[in-house]
Amino acid sequence: QKTKIEFFSDGQLTGEHFQKQFPKIRGKSLLTIDIASVQAALLKNPQILSATVERHFPDTLKITLRERAPIARAKLKIEGKTDTYLLSSDGVFFRSSHYKPAPNLPYITGIKINIQGSQIEPLEGAASLGEILNSFKDRFKDLNPLIASIDLNDWNFPATAKTSVAVKLRNNATLRFGYKDIQQQLDRLGEVVTLLKDEKDTLANKLVDLTYPDKVAIVGTR
């Protein structure tokens, strides 16, 4: 009895992609499919964070994928070759011909990477970085398209009081965040945006430093 395929992914990969990777799987009976081998083959794609492969009797193979969602991209030189890598919120750098990033996905500058063999070690503090950048999509929709780059020159670990990231906007504004208490910093940014709006002003040409525990520093950059 031939196998039916039930495919789901929370990202960009499709059932058509699965069929191309496993063209003969429909012609097999459900019990003859080595689901561990299918799962292992799927996980070789760094775009895939997790993969579940299940038999649903009498004749259905269910595949469920969770994909890495890039928060930024970076041009990295590995073994003498420069390529554009995508950075996910779990700190993994990856390349994939099957992922089409958003046109406004920001680039990282000042990045410090560690390489073991030919593998790039995950970026420390990426979860905090992802929390900041993903919040722009949800809470600051007007600012999100203005993000020009992410400066990680001061994104140093083990963390110190000076560990920070600078989000640079296209209007010559810079927003500096610390690595912890992210939601508190985002709340303060919301207050700054509201205050400037009330004063008929904008973030343009300003450095907004949110890293202080009890205040926000705003400095003009003209």
Side-chain angles (χ1 to χ4, degrees):
Q1 188 173 13
K2 292 184 178 181
T3 298
K4 298 176 184 177
I5 303 298
E6 184 178 325
F7 180 91
F8 172 79
S9 176
D10 64 356
Q12 296 188 7
L13 295 175
T14 64
E16 182 180 358
H17 168 76
F18 179 82
Q19 291 296 332
K20 288 181 179 179
Q21 187 175 359
F22 303 95
K24 298 180 180 180
I25 204 164
R26 283 185 182 273
K28 297 181 178 181
S29 64
L30 189 60
L31 281 174
T32 63
I33 297 172
D34 185 344
I35 61 175
S37 295
V38 173
Q39 182 187 45
L42 288 168
L43 290 174
K44 288 181 179 179
N45 182 351
Q47 182 176 335
I48 298 175
L49 177 63
S50 67
T52 302
V53 183
E54 303 170 307
R55 293 188 183 94
H56 284 216
F57 292 100
D59 59 1
T60 301
L61 188 71
K62 183 178 180 180
I63 298 93
T64 305
L65 304 182
R66 286 184 60 213
E67 297 183 34
R68 289 188 165 91
I71 57 174
R73 48 188 158 184
K75 288 186 177 180
L76 304 177
K77 189 174 183 179
I78 310 296
E79 297 181 336
K81 184 180 180 182
T82 300
D83 281 309
T84 298
Y85 286 77
L86 301 172
L87 172 66
S88 65
S89 57
D90 63 347
V92 171
F93 292 93
F94 70 97
R95 291 179 296 156
S96 176
S97 59
H98 305 293
Y99 188 89
K100 184 178 180 180
N104 63 340
L105 188 69
Y107 277 89
I108 297 172
T109 61
I111 192 168
K112 305 172 186 69
I113 59 171
N114 295 313
I115 301 176
Q116 292 290 339
S118 60
Q119 299 296 315
I120 309 170
E121 290 190 354
L123 178 71
E124 289 194 70
S128 295
L129 189 60
E131 188 177 358
I132 294 168
L133 297 178
N134 288 328
S135 290
F136 273 83
K137 299 175 185 177
D138 300 329
R139 298 180 58 177
F140 303 103
K141 292 182 171 63
D142 292 340
L143 297 180
N144 189 55
L146 296 179
I147 297 177
S149 63
I150 312 298
D151 184 351
L152 294 185
N153 273 297
D154 295 320
W155 197 246
N156 301 312
F157 290 85
T160 69
K162 294 183 178 180
T163 297
S164 62
V165 55
V167 179
K168 298 190 175 182
L169 306 184
R170 302 182 194 280
N171 59 4
N172 198 34
T174 298
L175 311 175
R176 186 174 294 280
F177 292 87
Y179 73 98
K180 61 181 180 179
D181 299 324
I182 302 301
Q183 290 305 314
Q184 183 182 56
Q185 294 178 75
L186 291 166
D187 290 341
R188 288 176 176 169
L189 176 59
E191 292 171 1
V192 169
V193 170
T194 300
L195 178 62
L196 291 173
K197 186 176 180 180
D198 291 342
E199 295 180 353
K200 295 182 170 50
D201 200 354
T202 68
L203 291 170
N205 304 307
K206 294 179 178 63
L207 166 62
V208 180
D209 193 336
L210 301 151
T211 63
Y212 296 99
D214 56 356
K215 64 180 180 179
V216 176
I218 303 175
V219 181
T221 58
R222 283 186 177 181

